[in-house]
């Protein structure tokens, strides 16, 4: 391994260990994926297995280290890092969790090192935890979609309806590399309101619940409920204070409900084209959604 430096001996991971990844960046909206991964490490007292050489991965002019200055006294810089932890839950498989700051450089080398690690530890499954902003209202449940090398997993955990071409994050590129290497891959992606610029605990909870359903990991998310309720109340108050925001949220609710209903009918009568029959008024095109997002954000900036 060229960049990954192991800081402890390779563990006995038991049968069917699972590689997990959650990196910050544009596919970590609301810090949902990274928060979910950190909860797994904290809840089950994970231990560090290794870390990547940060000097090889980061442009420090773009992602500068953070230094605390206390009345003129400099603290120790906190450098961006990409680390690998081992988590052994009381039930379910051992988890090898890759987390931290999305690298600026050497993505393919990172992927090669991680593929080599999967070969050494006989890891055959991968799960990614991430999140993206979308035309989703905060008044509805978090919507989850998936990417996978297995069509059955796509049907089970939520297959995106559209075909899109987007700039890849490092996490997406890693998943593609793991698929090419022969792992069974599952990327879990929470879609959360594009107008929420802070952490979104409801998305982290949704990711962990879906992760638990797949791996059998007994994750406790009950302590997130209070934060979820508080944020919902704050967003409701913000919406109520502006007719424009209220109208915007209602429009998102109509789109969300139309898609949910079409999906329900599609499950009852597979192949009847209900999803394809949705009108542009019910589910606008990507260009229309982007224009609406830009309009809304411009209005808030003003």
């Amino acid at each position: 391994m060229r960049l990954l430096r192991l800081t402890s001996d390779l563990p006995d991971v038991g049968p069917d260990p699972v590689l997990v990844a959650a990196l910050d960046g544009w596919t970590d909206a609301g810090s949902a994926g990274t928060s979910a991964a950190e909860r797994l490490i904290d809840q089950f007292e994970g231990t560090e297995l290794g870390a990547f050489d940060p000097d090889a991965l980061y442009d420090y002019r773009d992602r500068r280290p953070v230094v605390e200055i206390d009345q003129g006294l400099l603290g120790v810089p906190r450098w961006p890092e990409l680390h690998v932890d081992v988590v052994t839950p009381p039930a379910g498989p051992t988890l090898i969790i890759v987390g931290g700051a999305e690298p600026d450089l050497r993505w393919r080398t990172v992927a090669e090192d991680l593929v080599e690690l999967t070969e050494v530890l006989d890891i055959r499954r991968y799960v990614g935890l991430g999140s993206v902003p979308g035309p989703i209202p905060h008044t509805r449940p978090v919507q989850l979609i998936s990417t996978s090398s297995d069509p059955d997993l796509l049907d089970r955990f939520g297959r995106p309806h559209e075909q899109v071409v987007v700039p890849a994050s490092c996490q997406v590129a890693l998943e593609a590399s793991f698929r090419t290497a022969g792992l069974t891959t599952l990327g879990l992606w929470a879609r959360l309101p594009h107008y929420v610029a802070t952490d979104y605990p409801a998305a982290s909870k949704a990711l962990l619940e879906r992760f638990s359903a797949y791996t059998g990991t007994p994750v406790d998310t009950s302590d997130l409920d209070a934060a979820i309720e508080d944020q919902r109340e704050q967003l409701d108050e913000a919406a109520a204070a502006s007719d424009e925001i209220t109208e915007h949220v209602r429009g998102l609710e109509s789109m969300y409900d139309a898609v949910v209903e079409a999906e329900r009918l599609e499950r009852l009568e597979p192949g009847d084209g209900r999803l394809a029959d949705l009108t542009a008024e019910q589910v606008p095109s990507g260009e229309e959604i982007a224009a609406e997002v830009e309009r809304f954000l411009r209005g808030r900036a003003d």
Side-chain angles (χ1 to χ4, degrees):
M1 290 176 272
R2 288 186 283 175
L3 298 179
L4 177 59
R5 303 290 182 260
L6 299 181
T7 55
S8 63
D9 295 335
L10 290 173
D12 179 5
V13 295
D16 194 28
V18 176
L19 181 67
V20 181
L23 310 184
D24 73 5
W26 85 266
T27 50
D28 188 39
S31 301
T34 50
S35 294
E38 288 166 4
R39 177 168 291 266
L40 291 171
I41 295 171
D42 293 342
Q43 193 168 121
F44 301 120
E45 300 180 351
T47 58
E48 185 176 287
L49 175 61
F52 287 84
D53 177 9
D55 287 351
L57 297 187
Y58 300 108
D59 177 357
Y60 295 134
R61 293 172 301 175
D62 181 63
R63 190 187 284 269
R64 296 179 183 274
V66 177
V67 180
E68 181 178 331
I69 304 175
D70 183 6
Q71 299 182 16
L73 297 176
L74 289 176
V76 178
R78 296 196 301 273
W79 300 89
E81 62 177 4
L82 184 64
H83 51 84
V84 181
D85 293 270
V86 180
V87 172
T88 307
T94 297
L95 309 176
I96 309 298
I97 301 180
V98 182
E102 180 183 48
D104 298 308
L105 309 167
R106 308 289 293 275
W107 289 9
R108 287 183 288 189
T109 307
V110 170
E112 290 167 2
D113 281 3
L114 290 174
V115 167
E116 183 176 343
L117 183 65
T118 66
E119 293 170 348
V120 171
L121 296 177
D122 195 25
I123 297 173
R124 301 177 183 176
R125 287 196 292 166
Y126 161 82
V127 180
L129 301 172
S131 47
V132 292
I136 309 296
H138 71 275
T139 53
R140 296 292 187 268
V142 172
Q143 185 183 67
L144 288 180
I145 57 175
S146 64
T147 51
S148 179
S149 61
D150 185 340
D152 291 337
L153 288 178
L154 285 173
D155 291 335
R156 177 181 172 189
F157 290 103
R159 179 193 298 266
H161 304 132
E162 68 275 9
Q163 180 179 9
V164 296
V165 177
V166 296
S169 66
C170 183
Q171 187 167 321
V172 171
L174 289 177
E175 181 177 335
S177 295
F178 299 147
R179 178 201 62 206
T180 301
L183 275 69
T184 298
T185 62
L186 174 64
L188 296 174
W189 308 96
R191 300 182 72 190
L192 50 90
H194 61 77
Y195 50 84
V196 176
T198 61
D199 289 357
Y200 201 66
S204 295
K205 180 175 182 177
L207 286 170
L208 287 168
E209 289 175 343
R210 196 65 61 90
F211 179 83
S212 179
Y214 176 56
T215 64
T217 305
V219 189
D220 182 8
T221 61
S222 58
D223 60 332
L224 290 174
D225 292 341
I228 292 171
E229 184 62 27
D230 288 345
Q231 186 175 54
R232 170 63 188 268
E233 291 178 358
Q234 293 172 9
L235 291 171
D236 284 345
E237 291 175 2
S242 167
D243 291 341
E244 181 186 13
I245 297 177
T246 298
E247 179 184 356
H248 182 78
V249 172
R250 286 175 179 168
L252 295 177
E253 289 174 340
S254 296
M255 291 189 290
Y256 184 102
D257 294 344
V259 172
V260 169
E261 177 63 10
E263 289 176 337
R264 185 186 70 83
L265 296 174
E266 179 78 10
R267 287 193 297 271
L268 292 175
E269 300 180 43
D272 71 351
R274 296 278 185 175
L275 290 170
D277 290 341
L278 289 174
T279 66
E281 288 74 20
Q282 292 172 303
V283 184
S285 68
E287 290 80 5
E288 290 171 320
I289 291 173
E292 173 64 9
V293 171
E294 291 176 1
R295 182 199 66 78
F296 180 74
L297 294 177
R298 281 199 305 270
R300 294 193 71 187
D302 295 340

